[in-house]
Amino acid sequence: MADPVVLRIIFGDGSDARKLNLVSGIPETVAELHHFVKTCYQLHEDFRMQYMDPDFKDFINLTSRSEIQNKSTLKVIYMTLTPPVDSYITLYPVEPSDAAIISSNDQTFSPSSVASSSSADTLYTSTPHSSPEILLSGLSSWPKVFVVPKFTYKAEFELQQKNNEFETNGTNFNPGPKLKGIILDGLAQEMMKYTKYPKDYQCEEVAAALTRTHPCLGQLGSKTGFWGWKQSLKYKMQNYRTKLGRLGHPEIRVNSLKHKLEGQGKAAANIKKPRKAEVYYIPLHPKGETAESLEKERIALLSELKKRDNEVVITAKMEKTFSHRCLEVVEQRPMIGDFKNRWPALFEPSEVNAEFMRITTKPLQTKFLSQLDHFSDKLMEIFTCKGGVKGQKIKRILAMKDLCDDINVRRECILRSLVVYLNEDPDVFFKEYLPTAVEDAERDITTTVMGIYSIRRDGHEEPEDVGVVVEGIKVLNNLASVTTAFIMLFGLIYALDLAFPDNLKYTFEFLQKIIMNLDGHKLNLKIQQLKIKLFS
């Protein structure tokens, strides 16, 4: 294993200088070092690095890792005029019809992605989500850079002493059981703010953050320098879940072996966990509320739907009953028809957007369209280079956008081409009918598990009707475009805790992990190859 290295990083004009501890030594390439600096300091602007050259006594562009060594000085040069700051406001394109409030924690949009959105969109500043359930649960999406919490005063004092010794003579510190327990407890409690079921890469990020913050805790016998801490965190989180389960935590309880349907034997057949980067999978009930009181709220909600211009009250009641609805979806797995009868308010575009925001803390329609527009030129460049039968099919699909200058048609062509590129069949999912074939459409809909239908006259760009079908039922209709229907279906998959359709699983994985940036650390090989081309 490489020896630990300490670097001095200068930002801007030199008034801001920080120390960077590399427990595992200097990365193998400049690109890896660039990524590490960007992640460690959460830099949002593009930048290049320079090193202090001993011959010229000045900073020169860094092109090789051989130019740097222990205690070298590097300088971050921003590629734009405006350097990033720790506190800033993120702007999102929001359509006037969107009822969802955009969370300030969502920092996925880049300035270019915002600029690429439709000119008809309006920009609003991001505002923290004010839902009482969200504030009660205290959860948020997994941070881009995990910040190690402060431990007890005694533990912090001892760690500071050992860090000083490490900087002086490079001596690593192996904490005793009591101090190690304090460290693991503090990390586990911080992780619980984001997820009850951390994935492998998340435990690894936390362990790496710990050894960066306290370099004396680096482990010499480990290839990464923190493998032991990573394993200990997994066991600690498992112990925390056991304790929460005994206290009756709903998300832990529904995953326990004791809590399963009768007749399923001893296997954990009804285990349900977040699978698509849900932040609020089974949230706690609001303070002072029970399942019985929230059921009364649901019944009252049905009456409110009959009133005109009552969107504010409906949204408030949907917020209040969010935990009740999530528990019903996960535990009871209701049929879509029955669930729609119980929660008709959910099956409106504005509420689909709001529900997706409640579940993931990220905006749905605005982010989807912005990111899709941002990548559209590059995607079309990739698609047009495809050869063979799939290439010919893609060319026929993309030819549709040349017949008119409509942003919705362009987006639809890109989505259909994406399906073909990933070796999936769009004709199975996208059903198009003439107005004279409505009876055929209705018959096909009853046998469709999941899909999108559109009714359009020959030679007409605008469809007369576009809708979403789930389990043979029209859950949404009279939508503006096929793209809007696709977005609504994506949101309903989260709201109803459905699996992605098997015949389009790669397409939906790309949209989830690349377009929506939800849990994109582990990718299927097809998606990984497309991502490499997309970002090359």
Side-chain angles (χ1 to χ4, degrees):
M1 177 179 174
D3 295 330
V5 172
V6 179
L7 300 178
R8 178 174 178 238
I9 310 295
I10 297 177
F11 298 86
D13 58 1
S15 58
D16 183 5
R18 308 180 198 180
K19 182 168 63 174
L20 177 65
N21 293 288
L22 299 175
V23 178
S24 302
I26 301 172
E28 293 297 326
T29 64
V30 174
E32 291 179 10
L33 177 62
H34 182 282
H35 177 74
F36 187 87
V37 171
K38 185 173 184 178
T39 302
C40 183
Y41 296 110
Q42 203 168 358
L43 303 179
H44 302 278
E45 297 289 325
D46 194 14
F47 65 93
R48 70 177 187 272
M49 290 187 295
Q50 295 182 336
Y51 73 98
M52 175 59 75
D53 186 81
D55 297 326
F56 295 98
K57 306 297 181 182
D58 198 0
F59 286 101
I60 296 177
N61 289 341
L62 179 64
T63 57
S64 172
R65 70 181 296 274
S66 62
E67 305 289 356
I68 53 177
Q69 53 189 349
N70 188 31
K71 297 186 178 180
S72 290
T73 298
L74 301 180
K75 188 173 184 180
V76 171
I77 307 295
Y78 299 110
M79 305 299 287
T80 59
L81 296 177
T82 306
V85 293
D86 293 334
S87 299
Y88 59 94
I89 296 176
T90 306
L91 299 179
Y92 299 106
V94 180
E95 295 178 358
S97 61
D98 287 339
I101 301 175
I102 296 177
S103 168
S104 61
N105 290 330
D106 186 357
Q107 301 171 357
T108 305
F109 285 113
S110 63
S112 58
S113 67
V114 173
S116 67
S117 63
S118 174
S119 60
D121 293 338
T122 306
L123 289 178
Y124 291 91
T125 56
S126 58
T127 308
H129 200 284
S130 56
S131 165
E133 294 82 11
I134 303 301
L135 294 177
L136 175 64
S137 301
L139 292 175
S140 58
S141 57
W142 188 260
K144 294 183 181 300
V145 176
F146 185 88
V147 178
V148 175
K150 292 293 184 181
F151 306 119
T152 63
Y153 180 83
K154 181 176 179 298
E156 287 288 337
F157 181 76
E158 185 174 359
L159 287 174
Q160 184 58 48
Q161 286 184 318
K162 298 302 179 180
N163 285 332
N164 292 336
E165 292 181 12
F166 176 80
E167 292 180 9
T168 302
N169 51 33
T171 302
N172 287 81
F173 173 52
N174 184 21
K178 186 175 182 179
L179 178 57
K180 185 175 182 179
I182 292 173
I183 294 172
L184 291 174
D185 277 336
L187 293 175
Q189 290 181 32
E190 189 70 15
M191 293 169 71
M192 281 286 180
K193 295 179 181 179
Y194 306 107
T195 178
K196 306 296 185 298
Y197 295 92
K199 298 187 177 181
D200 184 80
Y201 79 87
Q202 292 170 330
C203 291
E204 185 167 317
E205 286 181 4
V206 175
L210 175 66
T211 54
R212 285 199 303 269
T213 305
H214 301 290
C216 66
L217 297 177
Q219 299 168 321
L220 294 178
S222 167
K223 183 178 180 180
T224 60
F226 47 77
W227 186 87
W229 287 108
K230 172 183 170 182
Q231 297 303 116
S232 297
L233 277 171
K234 289 183 177 181
Y235 290 122
K236 176 60 69 173
M237 291 297 290
Q238 185 177 1
N239 291 337
Y240 260 58
R241 287 195 297 270
T242 301
K243 295 176 181 178
L244 287 175
R246 290 171 182 168
L247 294 174
H249 192 286
E251 185 173 348
I252 309 301
R253 181 177 59 86
V254 81
N255 289 326
S256 67
L257 290 176
K258 295 180 181 179
H259 185 77
K260 56 182 181 293
L261 298 178
E262 296 181 1
Q264 291 182 327
K266 297 182 179 180
N270 201 35
I271 295 292
K272 301 293 179 185
K273 298 179 183 179
R275 298 297 186 189
K276 301 183 290 293
E278 298 96 333
V279 176
Y280 293 92
Y281 189 63
I282 308 180
L284 300 175
H285 291 324
K287 186 176 181 180
E289 299 291 345
T290 63
E292 291 74 18
S293 65
L294 291 176
E295 178 63 16
K296 293 178 181 179
E297 285 289 336
R298 183 195 69 80
I299 295 172
L301 178 60
L302 296 177
S303 300
E304 296 295 339
L305 287 170
K306 300 175 183 179
K307 302 176 183 179
R308 294 182 178 179
D309 302 323
N310 204 25
E311 289 80 7
V312 175
V313 176
I314 292 172
T315 299
K317 288 188 176 295
M318 288 292 287
E319 288 272 9
K320 189 173 183 179
T321 55
F322 174 54
S323 58
H324 185 49
R325 195 162 51 253
C326 287
L327 192 61
E328 180 179 331
V329 166
V330 175
E331 279 198 317
Q332 301 180 18
R333 316 302 295 171
M335 298 296 291
I336 300 302
D338 297 336
F339 192 77
K340 187 178 181 182
N341 291 332
R342 284 179 54 81
W343 300 95
L346 179 62
F347 296 88
E348 294 291 336
S350 60
E351 279 304 322
V352 174
N353 276 290
E355 193 81 347
F356 188 85
M357 172 72 83
R358 298 179 192 117
I359 294 171
T360 67
T361 72
K362 294 180 182 290
L364 172 60
Q365 187 166 355
T366 54
K367 181 170 184 178
F368 192 106
L369 293 177
S370 179
Q371 292 291 83
L372 184 64
D373 291 346
H374 174 63
F375 291 119
S376 61
D377 290 340
K378 186 65 175 180
L379 282 172
M380 284 194 292
E381 179 184 328
I382 295 171
F383 295 158
T384 52
C385 293
K386 188 68 178 177
V389 176
K390 288 193 291 184
Q392 293 299 319
K393 194 170 185 178
I394 288 174
K395 288 179 181 178
R396 287 195 295 271
I397 293 174
L398 293 179
M400 294 170 54
K401 71 179 179 61
D402 298 328
L403 300 177
C404 62
D405 188 20
D406 188 329
I407 185 63
N408 287 323
V409 174
R410 174 187 171 94
R411 290 165 174 165
E412 179 183 346
C413 291
I414 292 173
L415 287 175
R416 288 177 180 267
S417 299
L418 175 65
V419 175
V420 176
Y421 185 86
L422 294 174
N423 202 29
E424 295 173 322
D425 187 2
D427 297 331
V428 176
F429 188 79
F430 300 97
K431 298 289 188 178
E432 192 166 314
Y433 303 93
L434 294 171
T436 56
V438 174
E439 292 184 1
D440 294 337
E442 294 294 338
R443 185 170 55 254
D444 288 349
I445 285 173
T446 58
T447 60
T448 300
V449 177
M450 187 180 293
I452 294 170
Y453 75 89
S454 59
I455 298 176
R456 189 179 340 219
R457 295 184 183 275
D458 280 334
H460 287 71
E461 301 167 6
E462 295 294 329
E464 295 184 3
D465 183 23
V466 179
V468 176
V469 179
V470 180
E471 291 184 1
I473 296 174
K474 290 184 185 179
V475 293
L476 287 167
N477 61 350
N478 294 323
L479 298 174
S481 65
V482 172
T483 304
T484 302
F486 202 103
I487 296 171
M488 291 300 103
L489 176 56
F490 188 86
L492 284 173
I493 287 174
Y494 275 79
L496 303 175
D497 193 30
L498 302 174
F500 291 145
D502 288 336
N503 52 359
L504 257 74
K505 61 181 181 180
Y506 298 119
T507 300
F508 275 91
E509 180 181 343
F510 176 84
L511 297 174
Q512 174 203 323
K513 298 184 176 182
I514 306 301
I515 297 297
M516 296 301 294
N517 195 25
L518 292 168
D519 190 23
H521 288 76
K522 186 176 181 180
L523 301 176
N524 177 275
L525 182 58
K526 283 186 178 181
I527 309 302
Q528 182 67 47
Q529 292 172 345
L530 179 54
K531 180 182 178 181
I532 292 172
K533 294 179 181 178
L534 195 60
F535 288 90
S536 61

